[in-house]
Amino acid sequence: VRIDNEGRTEGHARIGLEPRWYLGGYAIVLDQLIRAVVRQQWPKGFMSSRPEHAETLADSVGALVKPALLDVDFSITVYLEAAEEARLAAEREAEERTREMVVGSIGVALDRLAEGDLTYRMSADLPEAYKKLADDFNVASSRLAEAMKVITANAEGITTGAAEISRAADDLSRRTEQQAATLEETAAALDEITATVKRTAEGADQANSVVSTARSDAETSGEVVRQAVSAMT
């Protein structure tokens, strides 16, 4: 009977049948049993009843009440155990659903982050136990976005500086070419000056030779003149 009751009690616990209905059912059964025992064992002449009759009646009623109460205790215990097991199963199922939801939310957030979307933020409707995780992810994304802004600004500055350096290098190259051309012109002019100086030096040598010849001729002429003057004298 208890095995059958256990199965029925677990079924009743699963469908939500409350223990008070068990107590009410046992009360009705006990009432009918006690009435039947009393009617059967009650003496026909109440005034001629003896004490042993009362003891017999009490023993009979006790024999009915004790197992009934034991069965009530057993049924209630099974009911509570089944209810607790159902509660734990419901909690495990709820936790599993919660974990699936959290894992899904984190997966979406990480996918967006992997795609380079730093504006995505995890929603705040996560369970209380996981709100800090969402807050930490959102803070990390915000800081990463700020860092990327700084890196982008620095990269733009580097690009601008590189462009300026490139322009300066082009300008320096042009100036260098101009200076090289000027140096070539200066070298050509120096070559011309050198040639002119050389020609001038050669002319000076020729003039010096002419002067020497002239001076020698003048000295010779002077001697001739002196001789002529002396002869004339």
Side-chain angles (χ1 to χ4, degrees):
V1 174
R2 286 188 174 180
I3 294 176
D4 294 340
N5 285 344
E6 182 176 357
R8 287 195 299 270
T9 303
E10 290 179 351
H12 294 163
R14 285 193 296 270
I15 66 175
L17 185 64
E18 297 179 356
R20 61 180 178 177
W21 299 106
Y22 288 100
L23 298 178
Y26 279 109
I28 294 174
V29 172
L30 284 175
D31 178 69
Q32 296 299 321
L33 290 176
I34 291 173
R35 288 177 182 274
V37 169
V38 170
R39 281 196 299 267
Q40 182 179 1
Q41 297 188 4
W42 193 259
K44 298 184 181 301
F46 180 77
M47 297 302 296
S48 63
S49 62
R50 295 189 298 273
E52 58 269 18
H53 292 162
E55 289 295 330
T56 302
L57 180 60
D59 292 339
S60 300
V61 173
L64 287 175
V65 171
K66 288 178 181 179
L69 293 178
L70 288 175
D71 199 57
V72 167
D73 176 70
F74 178 77
S75 298
I76 297 300
T77 301
V78 172
Y79 179 90
L80 294 177
E81 291 176 352
E84 180 67 13
E85 184 178 353
R87 184 186 67 82
L88 293 176
E91 289 182 355
R92 287 193 296 269
E93 184 179 356
E95 291 177 357
E96 183 64 24
R97 289 197 301 268
T98 300
R99 280 194 297 268
E100 291 178 356
M101 180 185 67
V102 173
V103 170
S105 299
I106 295 175
V108 172
L110 293 178
D111 288 340
R112 298 290 291 275
L113 184 62
E115 293 172 358
D117 185 3
L118 300 180
T119 62
Y120 181 79
R121 297 293 180 269
M122 293 184 67
S123 61
D125 58 352
L126 291 177
E128 188 66 28
Y130 299 94
K131 283 186 177 180
K132 188 177 186 304
L133 178 63
D135 294 338
D136 292 342
F137 176 85
N138 293 337
V139 170
S141 291
S142 298
R143 291 180 178 176
L144 185 58
E146 293 297 328
M148 291 304 297
K149 288 181 181 179
V150 174
I151 292 173
T152 302
N154 292 336
E156 291 177 353
I158 292 173
T159 302
T160 302
E164 294 178 354
I165 293 172
S166 178
R167 288 194 296 270
D170 292 340
D171 184 59
L172 179 61
S173 177
R174 287 193 297 271
R175 291 183 181 180
T176 302
E177 291 177 356
Q178 292 175 358
Q179 290 178 357
T182 303
L183 288 175
E184 289 178 356
E185 293 175 356
T186 302
L190 287 175
D191 290 339
E192 293 179 359
I193 291 172
T194 300
T196 302
V197 170
K198 184 177 180 180
R199 289 193 298 272
T200 302
E202 291 177 351
D205 290 338
Q206 292 177 359
N208 187 28
S209 178
V210 171
V211 170
S212 296
T213 302
R215 185 179 64 184
S216 178
D217 292 343
E219 290 178 351
T220 301
S221 297
E223 181 64 26
V224 171
V225 170
R226 283 195 302 271
Q227 292 177 1
V229 170
S230 176
M232 289 174 66
T233 302

